Every structure is written in C-alpha cells, then in structure tokens.
Amino acid sequence: MSLVSFEALPDDARVWVFGISRQLGPGDESHVLHAVDDYLREWRAHGAPLTAARDWREGRFLAIGVDQRDEAASGCSLDALFRVFRGMEQKTGVAILDNSRVYFRDASGAIDAIDRAEFIAMAESGAISAETSVFDLSVQRVGEWRRRFETPVAQSWHRALLPAAR
C-alpha cells in the first residue's frame, strides 16, 4: 500500500503536523497538495512502501500520517519528505518546517501565526487567554489530530506561555 485516505488510518497511526506560515493562494495550495500526494504515493522506508495519507485543514495545516502496523517511517524516509517540503518552501515563499510559530485563532476567528515571544506578549496584554483556541502541532497520533488538534490554551501545552504559568 501507499497513499490511502486519511480517514482509513487508525487512531494510533503516527502523524506529523506542519503549519504553513501564511494562507496559500489557490495555485500554491494546489501545487503543495499535488506534490505531497505524488511523494506519498511512492514513500518508502528501507525499500518497503509506507501506508500513508495526508490531511489538509483550514488552508494552513498539513498532517502526514503513517500506519506503522505495516512499516514505520524511518529517519531517512522523513529526511526525504523534509527535502520535498524545503523545495515547496522555496517555490511558494512560505515556511513549512519552521516549528517556532504558535498558531491560534484571533478575536475575529482568523488563524494567526506568531513567534512565542509575541504570543507571550499578547497573553500578558490580555489579547490571548486560557479560552483562546490554539493549534497543537505537537500531536503525534492520528487520534489526537482528530480530537484535540484545535483546543483552548488551557487544555494544551500553550498554557505554559500564559502569565499565570510563568
């Protein structure tokens, strides 16, 4: 097997989540998703095909899942995937592999991406609270992606960035 629908992956499948630094235009979005699909169709670890899928949310978040019951993604196979992403970054001018950003919904409901220092400053000013919706890119299983990827700050590791926690 290779590329399957994301819904076919079990909850315990491994997932890697990538945030896109800004909303992509339709052309760039299409390019990114087609390139990812093309890569996943042929993705292998030590010569064995991986049962993989991708999910795309909010025009900003890409989840790559692997059902590790058949074969686990190896360090080399992940490095190869990251090379694909680096190429996409160069072509589209967006950051995909930069994990320093914090993603959250602002007061209008739009998704924003800022660095941790800015997030802390906004929390100190009261613009971000325990109820603010954040996106947890550190989820590691497909079930977590499905159930708690978007969650209030109070229920995420992000709570450590609130003034009361520091």
Side-chain angles (χ1 to χ4, degrees), residues 1 6 11 23 26 47 59 64 66 68 71 87 97 102 123 129 149 152 164-165:
M1 287 190 109
F6 202 85
D11 279 350
Q23 188 84 30
I64 305 293
V66 173
Q68 298 191 109
E71 184 70 37
L97 297 173
V102 176
S129 72
F149 172 64

Side-chain angles (χ1 to χ4, degrees), residues 1-164:
M1 287 190 109
S2 53
L3 186 61
V4 299
S5 75
F6 202 85
E7 294 74 27
L9 292 177
D11 279 350
D12 66 345
R14 181 69 168 92
V15 72
W16 294 267
V17 180
F18 304 92
I20 311 298
S21 59
R22 64 168 167 74
Q23 188 84 30
L24 295 175
D28 284 339
E29 181 176 313
S30 178
H31 168 75
V32 166
L33 297 178
H34 280 85
V36 168
D37 289 348
D38 289 347
Y39 182 79
L40 294 180
R41 280 187 195 92
E42 303 300 323
W43 200 17
R44 297 182 176 283
H46 305 293
L50 296 173
T51 302
R54 63 112 173 128
D55 197 10
W56 179 245
R57 281 194 196 167
E58 305 280 346
R60 295 290 289 269
F61 303 106
L62 178 63
I64 305 293
V66 173
D67 184 349
Q68 298 191 109
R69 293 177 297 183
D70 300 320
E71 184 70 37
S74 65
C76 292
S77 66
L78 289 169
D79 287 345
L81 176 65
F82 292 172
R83 281 193 297 276
V84 170
F85 287 156
R86 276 192 220 69
M88 288 181 215
E89 287 178 327
Q90 291 174 346
K91 179 165 177 39
T92 61
V94 299
I96 300 171
L97 297 173
D98 178 2
N99 62 4
S100 68
R101 288 181 173 76
V102 176
Y103 294 83
F104 67 98
R105 284 198 191 275
D106 66 19
S108 73
I111 296 171
D112 202 353
I114 58 176
D115 67 33
R116 287 181 189 207
E118 290 174 280
F119 189 86
I120 290 168
M122 289 182 72
E124 288 172 347
S125 76
I128 291 176
S129 72
E131 291 80 36
T132 299
S133 189
V134 291
F135 299 89
D136 187 354
L137 278 64
S138 71
V139 297
Q140 295 186 7
R141 300 286 169 217
V142 167
E144 293 175 300
W145 166 255
R146 290 175 175 144
R147 287 187 297 279
R148 67 169 195 85
F149 172 64
E150 183 175 1
T151 189
V153 168
Q155 297 174 16
S156 173
W157 68 264
H158 299 82
R159 69 183 165 277
L161 302 177
L162 296 177

